Amino acid sequence: MAAKSRIVLLNGVGSAGKSSIAKALQTMTRSPFLHVAMDVFLEMLPEAYQNHPESFRYEARLEDGKPSIAIHHGPIGGRLMAGLRAAVAGLATEGNNLIVDDVIFGDDGSVADYRIRLAGHDLMLVGVHAPLAVLDAREKARGDRQIGLARWQFPRVHSGLTYDLEVDTARNSPETCARRIRDRFDL
């Protein structure tokens, strides 16, 4: 194994600002950090599997009269997400510092899997938060998301997780959040 790598794992609901924080953080760390985005892995799926019971199926619902998109994953989706965690571990094993941008549901075992795979490295878990109304507005403004994904993810993503640091992207810019992360972990 190469030198001990440092991994900043950003967890938050879609449209919370994880990618913006990752890009800002890359500009201010002393050593280079690669940005590993879950969305890039999702884009690896063939078009026919973008909404498929074997990978990820998206179910439109209403919650409090507003659109909500429930996510169900099948075996291909589960393997893809396990592959993401394995790829992160492989990059870290080669000595790369990483900023990982993921959507982890508190009780799904992903954080435990990251901890096992990244044993011997410095893993920093950061919760990225914003109020639901802000997430809904960002989701609509982006134009590249199914409306309702954030609403469904909101009560599930941080459930039961303990973070090394938490940031609020409604109150702080991506740059301010990135500086807090850099300073807290001496990056």
Side-chain angles (χ1 to χ4, degrees):
M1 179 161 67
K4 181 176 176 178
S5 295
R6 304 194 77 196
I7 301 96
V8 176
L9 177 54
L10 303 174
N11 183 43
V13 171
S15 300
K18 299 177 302 294
S19 294
S20 296
I21 291 171
K23 289 173 185 163
L25 187 56
Q26 283 183 302
T27 69
M28 57 181 73
T29 56
R30 285 190 304 274
S31 59
F33 276 72
L34 304 178
H35 177 199
V36 181
M38 181 189 78
D39 287 348
V40 172
F41 281 75
L42 294 175
E43 291 167 4
M44 291 179 188
L45 286 168
E47 187 63 35
Y49 284 85
Q50 290 298 330
N51 186 6
H52 190 282
E54 291 293 308
S55 57
F56 298 95
R57 183 174 56 83
Y58 303 99
E59 176 190 353
R61 300 178 174 181
L62 284 178
E63 286 185 21
D64 300 322
K66 296 184 180 177
S68 175
I69 305 290
I71 304 168
H72 307 280
H73 81 277
I76 292 170
R79 288 195 308 264
L80 177 63
M81 293 299 96
L84 162 63
R85 295 187 298 275
V88 166
L91 287 165
T93 297
E94 293 302 320
N96 296 289
N97 293 319
L98 308 168
I99 304 164
V100 181
D101 162 355
D102 203 343
V103 178
I104 299 169
F105 300 104
D107 61 357
D108 75 355
S110 296
V111 171
D113 190 32
Y114 271 122
R115 290 191 193 288
I116 291 166
R117 290 177 187 269
L118 296 169
H121 297 288
D122 188 9
L123 176 63
M124 298 149 276
L125 188 58
V126 178
V128 180
H129 300 273
L132 182 56
V134 171
L135 296 166
D136 282 343
R138 287 178 183 169
E139 193 173 62
K140 288 175 188 161
R142 286 178 68 154
D144 66 348
R145 299 279 184 220
Q146 294 183 60
I147 303 303
L149 280 173
R151 180 166 295 280
W152 185 82
Q153 292 174 359
F154 188 76
R156 293 167 174 83
V157 167
H158 300 292
S159 178
L161 293 178
T162 301
Y163 293 103
D164 300 308
L165 177 68
E166 297 184 57
V167 295
D168 183 336
T169 62
R171 292 191 172 106
N172 300 288
S173 69
E175 293 76 21
T176 299
C177 292
R179 272 192 298 280
R180 284 194 61 214
I181 294 166
R182 180 200 63 195
D183 294 349
R184 168 70 171 78
F185 302 116
D186 192 29
L187 305 175

